[in-house]
Amino acid sequence: MAKKKECVKLLEFWMSPFSRRVEMALKLKGVPYEYLEEDFPKKTPLLLKLNPVHKKVPVLVHNDKILSESHVILEYINQTWKNNPILPQDPYEKAMARFWAKFVDEQILSLGFMSLVKAENGIEVAIEETRELITYLEKEVTGKDFFGGKTIGFLDMVAGSMIPFCLARAWECMGIDMIPHEKFPELNRWIKRLNEVEIVRECIPPKEKHIERACTKL
Ligand SMILES: N[C@@H](CCC(=O)N[C@@H](CS)C(=O)NCC(=O)O)C(=O)O
């Protein structure tokens, strides 16, 4: 009997780091998908129907299954398409990849962006506090090509979509070099290596368009 053709659709937004990381995973696994673009701040009826709980992108539709929340989607992709694993087999290493990914999306995004924009205690304090958090990632990537080891994995996708290809562009709009080479040599090496990975490059939002949009929002 012929295998049923898979139908994979991704509802996303071009400058969303949460969407970009899911695309990276689909590309790494070689899963063909249809790209459905949202145009925020408008929300299409399709988004409201598919993700009534959060009303956010990304949303992955796999045949008749609907998934939202990027970490959940990444895990689903990893377990559904077994080639090129993005999470380690070892339970502790897997837990650590999840731990640091949560840290990026919760702590670094909140302090390094939301608090920085408000900068209630002054911009210099906010920058230093953000750098303290980034230092944890500098340690994590030390001595490795990628957080995932020799190849990119879950944490590379989460941190890569969020830090160099999203937050750093907002920091640039504010005139802040948040990850200077002298302070963060390992992270800078990691960013350079990420840029050399074809599927990552394919998922990075175009810089000029991104900066133009990010700067008008700040
Ligand atoms: N925790 C969610 C965050 C997703 C998210 O914040 N998506 C943004 C785009 S970058 C969104 O859809 N925003 C629409 C809104 O907040 O109304 C995830 O990991 O997928």
Side-chain angles (χ1 to χ4, degrees):
M1 204 169 69
K3 206 172 162 221
K4 198 175 150 231
K5 197 170 176 297
E6 299 225 77
C7 173
V8 180
K9 294 182 184 180
L10 182 63
L11 191 55
E12 56 177 311
F13 176 51
W14 68 272
M15 63 186 279
S16 157
F18 305 101
S19 303
R20 301 274 64 82
R21 62 184 62 155
V22 172
E23 265 208 289
M24 285 177 202
L26 289 171
K27 283 178 190 284
L28 185 77
K29 300 274 185 181
V31 178
Y33 60 95
E34 187 184 342
Y35 177 112
L36 303 169
E37 174 78 10
E38 280 292 307
D39 186 17
F40 290 133
K42 282 179 276 170
K43 292 189 185 185
T44 60
L46 183 64
L47 173 64
L48 302 178
K49 180 174 157 219
L50 295 180
N51 190 359
V53 178
H54 297 297
K55 304 174 181 65
K56 290 182 177 186
V57 293
V59 179
L60 183 81
V61 184
H62 178 213
N63 300 330
D64 53 355
K65 300 184 192 87
I66 301 162
L67 297 108
S68 59
E69 289 297 302
S70 62
H71 293 205
V72 173
I73 299 175
L74 288 179
E75 296 236 12
Y76 176 83
I77 291 173
N78 195 43
Q79 286 174 30
T80 303
W81 294 279
K82 305 277 185 207
N83 60 311
N84 299 338
I86 61 171
L87 272 162
Q89 281 295 315
D90 178 79
Y92 182 69
E93 284 178 25
K94 195 185 289 183
M96 286 297 101
R98 291 188 183 119
F99 172 87
W100 289 115
K102 204 163 180 294
F103 171 80
V104 168
D105 278 3
E106 291 177 4
Q107 308 293 307
I108 298 195
L109 176 60
S110 133
L111 193 66
F113 187 64
M114 322 310 191
S115 311
L116 203 69
V117 172
K118 284 197 236 130
E120 280 158 349
N121 300 320
I123 195 84
E124 290 308 322
V125 174
I127 293 173
E128 268 326 295
E129 285 174 352
T130 306
R131 285 192 179 140
E132 268 175 43
L133 297 187
I134 295 175
T135 302
Y136 287 108
L137 296 180
E138 172 79 4
K139 286 190 195 136
E140 269 309 296
V141 83
T142 296
K144 299 181 193 164
D145 288 344
F146 297 101
F147 288 102
K150 288 273 165 228
T151 53
I152 62 163
F154 186 86
L155 181 54
D156 295 282
M157 291 174 186
V158 170
S161 57
M162 182 58 78
I163 299 176
F165 309 125
C166 180
L167 289 178
R169 292 174 176 184
W171 293 327
E172 198 174 319
C173 291
M174 298 180 208
I176 301 167
D177 177 9
M178 185 66 86
I179 319 175
H181 203 281
E182 325 76 76
K183 274 191 200 293
F184 301 103
E186 296 291 335
L187 274 175
N188 278 282
R189 261 194 289 278
W190 167 73
I191 294 170
K192 189 164 171 289
R193 279 192 290 262
L194 268 186
N195 266 302
E196 288 161 4
V197 179
E198 196 177 336
I199 57 129
V200 171
R201 273 206 314 274
E202 285 171 10
C203 296
I204 300 173
K207 190 166 179 189
E208 266 176 37
K209 185 177 166 196
H210 198 173
I211 294 242
E212 196 185 304
R213 179 94 176 230
C215 290
T216 52
K217 295 243 167 199
L218 290 171

